[in-house]
């Protein structure tokens, strides 16, 4: 039966006999459950598949370990009347809710069923999600939303809108308590888009998922701009331009596989630690390749992801927002079996400078790791903040302060490693010892200073250079003098701002050793309701 066909108020599977035996009742229940699981009919299922989308239950099967899903409120039906709703009362009311196991650990899920009312949210639909979110909080287990809905159910009016309010308030209440993941697998427009925005991670699929507050028709009517659904709010738009989506995929199967992988790296809640991995990658494994990965010239580019892969367990890491704000890399990985969050400047993009987007991206990641007791490892190679009128007028000071605040507020173990250059305020912001890094290490190639030698010489020795018979020779002399006096690799270590200068080959071992020492770190914050993050 399609969603447009009238459905009788009482399902044919509901028993009519008043004195049926328990066996008969049980058989009727089984028939009813099979009917509910099959959904509104083959026609609606074919229509869903024709759009390149799976059904809600097919998605749930991909998410959970085989045979572990337990549904709740599968028999729920709405009680609305008017506009023909009294004749259309399908079970589940367009959302499948329940829990199951992912890699043997409990995870809760709600999945919009687009075949029923287009997945639109009504009163009963919302109440099912509310109950599931409350269960997830009470059980202390992650929550995954598989979003494929047409927004609020217009026929139910304000009660549908109130349902969204209940979801939003629970998103906020659960923030930092249990991991929350949103997987956008269809439309997610208007107020519905705010729930994913409040969660920790957002996944999207190219060609089938869109998120926007106002659709293309409204945009064109108001601004005159012609834009498609995909270019306005598609997966690539949000993964590269807005930063709303952390991940974009070509198909739902690949997407849900990575959701499972992400869950394997996360703790169940803020009272537990992330699951430990295998210890079959030796902690003292040398990294000879590191000696050749990072150029000695401070302006030469290289890919920091190669450095990360050389250091972490088995070279495996899970990058977040890999296509947005690419001048900084944020990734979850393991070191010595322990899950850690890595924040690293990326010299291969914009020379690794910090700017508005990079600051926001890293700040959000640092806050997540701190909320869920995931230690932080920061790899520093930063020339400063990106200069320019656009950045200043866009509020780079305010946005940069978000990253500074996130690090200063973090109480998890924090280990910082300076690979090469660390200039100016950006050096301080990238978890320097002065803002609370527990251990700060550096390679012999480090250059820690207010600015690069050339810029510093031009400022300090401006008059000497201008009055010299050979200004270029004088400039070269003063640059060398500044480097010798203030930028040699041991300057910061001599003043206690770096704990040790290490052989790059032993980086992995030193990081694991520091994290092991800090495993029981306790750094309570002052008593307060909450701080005032520079939003």
């Amino acid at each position: 039966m399609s969603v447009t066909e009238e459905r009788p108020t009482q399902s044919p599977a509901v028993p009519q006999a008043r004195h049926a035996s328990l066996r008969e009742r049980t058989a009727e229940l089984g028939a009813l459950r099979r009917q509910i699981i099959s959904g509104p009919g083959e026609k609606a299922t074919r229509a869903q598949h024709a759009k390149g989308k799976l059904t809600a239950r097919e998605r749930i099967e991909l998410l959970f370990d085989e045979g572990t899903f337990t549904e709740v409120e599968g028999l729920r039906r709405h009680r609305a009347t008017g506009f023909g709703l009294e004749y259309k009362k399908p079970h589940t009311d367009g959302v499948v809710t329940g829990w199951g196991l992912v890699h043997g650990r409990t995870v809760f899920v709600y999945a919009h069923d687009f075949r029923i009312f287009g997945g639109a949210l009504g009163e009963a639909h919302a109440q099912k999600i509310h109950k599931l979110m409350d269960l997830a909080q009470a059980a202390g287990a992650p929550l995954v939303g598989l979003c494929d809905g047409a927004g609020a159910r217009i026929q139910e009016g304000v009660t549908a809108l109130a349902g969204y309010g209940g979801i939003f308030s629970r998103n906020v209440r659960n923030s930092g308590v249990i991991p929350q993941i949103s997987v956008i697998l269809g439309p997610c427009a208007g107020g519905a888009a705010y729930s994913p925005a409040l969660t920790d991670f957002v996944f999207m699929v190219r060609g089938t998922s869109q998120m926007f507050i106002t659709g293309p028709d409204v945009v064109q009517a108001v601004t005159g701009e012609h834009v498609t659904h995909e270019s306005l709010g598609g997966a690539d738009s949000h993964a590269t331009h807005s930063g709303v989506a952390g991940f974009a995929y070509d198909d739902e199967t690949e997407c849900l596989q990575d959701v499972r992988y992400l869950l394997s790296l996360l703790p169940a809640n803020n009272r537990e630690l992330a699951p430990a991995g295998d210890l079959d990658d030796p902690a003292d494994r040398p990294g000879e390749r590191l000696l050749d990965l990072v150029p000695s010239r401070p302006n030469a580019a290289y890919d920091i992801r190669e450095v990360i892969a050389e250091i972490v367990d088995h070279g495996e890491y899970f990058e977040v927002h890999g296509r947005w704000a690419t001048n900084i890399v944020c990734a979850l990985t393991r070191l010595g079996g322990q899950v850690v969050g890595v924040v690293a400047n990326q010299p291969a993009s914009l020379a690794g400078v910090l700017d508005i987007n990079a600051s926001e991206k890293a700040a959000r990641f640092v806050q997540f790791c701190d909320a869920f007791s995931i230690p932080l490892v920061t790899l520093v190679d930063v020339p400063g903040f990106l200069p320019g009128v656009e950045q200043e007028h866009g509020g780079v000071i305010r946005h940069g302060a978000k990253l500074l605040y996130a690090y200063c507020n973090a109480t998890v173990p924090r280990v910082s490693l300076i690979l090469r250059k660390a200039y100016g305020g950006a050096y301080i912001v990238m978890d320097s010892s002065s803002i609370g890094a527990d251990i700060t290490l550096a390679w012999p190639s480090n250059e820690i200073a207010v600015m690069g030698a050339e810029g510093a010489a031009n400022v300090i020795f401006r008059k000497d250079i201008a009055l010299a018979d050979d200004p270029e020779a004088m400039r070269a002399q003063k640059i060398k003098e500044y480097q010798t006096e203030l930028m040699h690799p041991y300057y910061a270590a001599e003043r206690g701002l770096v704990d040790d200068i290490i052989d790059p080959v032993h980086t992995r071992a030193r990081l694991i050793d520091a994290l092991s020492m800090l495993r029981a770190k306790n750094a309570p914050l002052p008593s307060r309701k909450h701080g005032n993050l520079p939003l």
Side-chain angles (χ1 to χ4, degrees):
M1 181 180 293
S2 74
V3 295
T4 59
E5 294 178 298
E6 288 192 357
R7 191 181 186 93
T9 302
Q10 188 163 354
S11 169
V14 175
Q16 304 299 316
R18 295 183 60 188
H19 302 293
S21 69
L22 182 56
R23 287 185 181 276
E24 290 172 322
R25 294 284 191 184
T26 303
E28 289 161 351
L29 173 63
L32 178 58
R33 289 203 185 281
R34 288 191 294 274
Q35 178 188 358
I36 293 170
I37 291 172
S38 67
E42 188 60 34
K43 182 179 177 181
T45 300
R46 285 198 303 269
Q48 180 80 347
H49 289 165
K51 298 173 185 175
K53 301 195 296 183
L54 300 175
T55 66
R57 295 183 186 276
E58 288 170 340
R59 291 162 176 165
I60 287 172
E61 287 179 5
L62 287 174
L63 176 65
F64 290 118
D65 300 346
E66 185 176 356
T68 65
F69 177 64
T70 299
E71 186 172 358
V72 292
E73 295 204 3
L75 298 171
R76 187 73 178 264
R77 303 162 83 181
H78 74 75
R79 56 185 179 182
T81 58
F83 306 101
L85 284 178
E86 60 268 31
Y87 304 112
K88 302 175 184 178
K89 293 192 173 184
H91 291 99
T92 74
D93 200 45
V95 63
V96 181
T97 56
W99 70 86
L101 301 180
V102 176
H103 300 296
R105 302 163 67 224
T106 300
V107 173
F108 287 79
V109 70
Y110 66 87
H112 299 300
D113 191 340
F114 194 83
R115 301 172 301 166
I116 299 175
F117 296 128
L121 181 138
E123 180 187 34
H125 183 121
Q127 288 174 350
K128 288 181 65 175
I129 297 176
H130 296 168
K131 178 172 183 176
L132 190 85
M133 297 176 80
D134 292 342
L135 280 173
Q137 180 187 359
L143 173 69
V144 177
L146 304 181
C147 305
D148 184 9
R153 195 174 300 168
I154 299 172
Q155 299 95 321
E156 295 195 32
V158 70
T159 56
L161 292 177
Y164 276 123
I167 292 172
F168 302 158
S169 65
R170 286 168 172 83
N171 284 138
V172 174
R173 192 174 68 202
N174 289 342
S175 180
V177 178
I178 56 173
Q180 300 180 86
I181 298 172
S182 295
V183 189
I184 314 303
L185 300 168
C188 185
Y194 283 113
S195 177
L198 291 169
T199 59
D200 300 306
F201 300 99
V202 176
F203 290 72
M204 295 186 74
V205 176
R206 297 181 182 93
T208 57
S209 58
Q210 299 94 32
M211 291 179 69
F212 37 69
I213 299 301
T214 54
D217 293 340
V218 177
V219 170
Q220 185 168 9
V222 175
T223 70
E225 298 174 273
H226 177 70
V227 63
T228 65
H229 286 80
E230 193 68 17
S231 60
L232 178 64
D236 287 325
S237 295
H238 284 309
T240 60
H241 301 304
S242 71
V244 171
F247 315 92
Y249 298 89
D250 290 327
D251 62 73
E252 295 187 14
T253 300
E254 181 187 9
C255 175
L256 292 169
Q257 286 174 346
D258 266 7
V259 174
R260 285 176 54 86
Y261 182 60
L262 173 59
L263 286 166
S264 75
L265 294 168
L266 302 181
N269 55 65
N270 64 342
R271 302 182 304 276
E272 297 182 12
L273 295 178
D278 296 329
L279 298 176
D280 51 352
D281 190 353
D284 59 355
R285 169 173 55 80
E288 292 286 346
R289 188 163 172 261
L290 293 172
L291 296 172
D292 301 315
L293 283 177
V294 180
S296 59
R297 291 182 296 110
N299 295 329
Y302 65 94
D303 192 343
I304 193 64
R305 290 172 296 189
E306 294 187 50
V307 175
I308 295 171
E310 186 66 24
I311 294 171
V312 303
D313 292 1
H314 306 293
E316 296 178 357
Y317 60 91
F318 192 65
E319 187 174 356
V320 180
H321 287 293
R323 297 172 59 210
W324 177 63
T326 55
N327 42 323
I328 200 159
V329 172
C330 299
L332 290 167
T333 185
R334 285 189 170 93
L335 272 170
Q338 181 181 12
V339 174
V340 299
V342 175
V343 179
N345 305 112
Q346 173 58 292
S349 177
L350 294 177
V353 296
L354 288 178
D355 62 2
I356 290 172
N357 287 343
S359 298
E360 282 205 346
K361 170 180 169 178
R364 174 82 169 159
F365 183 74
V366 168
Q367 285 189 146
F368 174 82
C369 290
D370 186 53
F372 291 100
S373 301
I374 297 174
L376 289 162
V377 173
T378 304
L379 306 181
V380 184
D381 191 347
V382 62
F385 281 91
L386 181 64
V389 174
E390 182 179 354
Q391 287 288 307
E392 295 294 347
H393 287 183
V396 67
I397 297 172
R398 175 168 50 87
H399 293 285
K402 295 177 183 179
L403 179 54
L404 179 60
Y405 188 102
Y407 267 127
C408 290
N409 202 49
T411 61
V412 293
R414 292 155 52 188
V415 180
S416 179
L417 172 65
I418 301 165
L419 307 182
R420 199 171 54 170
K421 57 189 178 297
Y423 297 159
Y427 151 63
I428 301 297
V429 169
M430 288 296 295
D431 205 20
S432 62
S433 61
S434 60
I435 65 168
D438 298 296
I439 295 293
T440 301
L441 306 172
W443 284 0
S445 51
N446 81 82
E447 293 183 357
I448 306 173
V450 175
M451 62 177 66
E454 289 191 22
N458 288 335
V459 172
I460 299 172
F461 306 110
R462 182 175 60 252
K463 290 184 179 179
D464 294 339
I465 293 171
L467 296 174
D469 295 334
D470 186 346
E472 289 305 315
M474 177 62 72
R475 179 180 287 106
Q477 176 187 331
K478 294 302 183 182
I479 289 173
K480 186 175 182 180
E481 181 180 327
Y482 184 84
Q483 288 174 325
T484 302
E485 290 294 323
L486 295 176
M487 292 184 68
H488 64 79
Y490 307 105
Y491 185 86
E494 290 170 356
R495 286 152 182 79
L497 298 175
V498 167
D499 293 300
D500 199 7
I501 310 295
I502 67 171
D503 182 342
V505 171
H506 303 310
T507 297
R508 172 177 164 82
R510 293 298 300 270
L511 291 176
I512 291 174
D513 181 57
L515 291 168
S516 177
M517 176 272 294
L518 291 164
R519 191 177 294 271
K521 176 184 175 181
N522 180 28
L525 292 170
S527 176
R528 59 183 176 184
K529 186 174 182 180
H530 58 74
N532 188 15
L533 174 69
L535 297 172

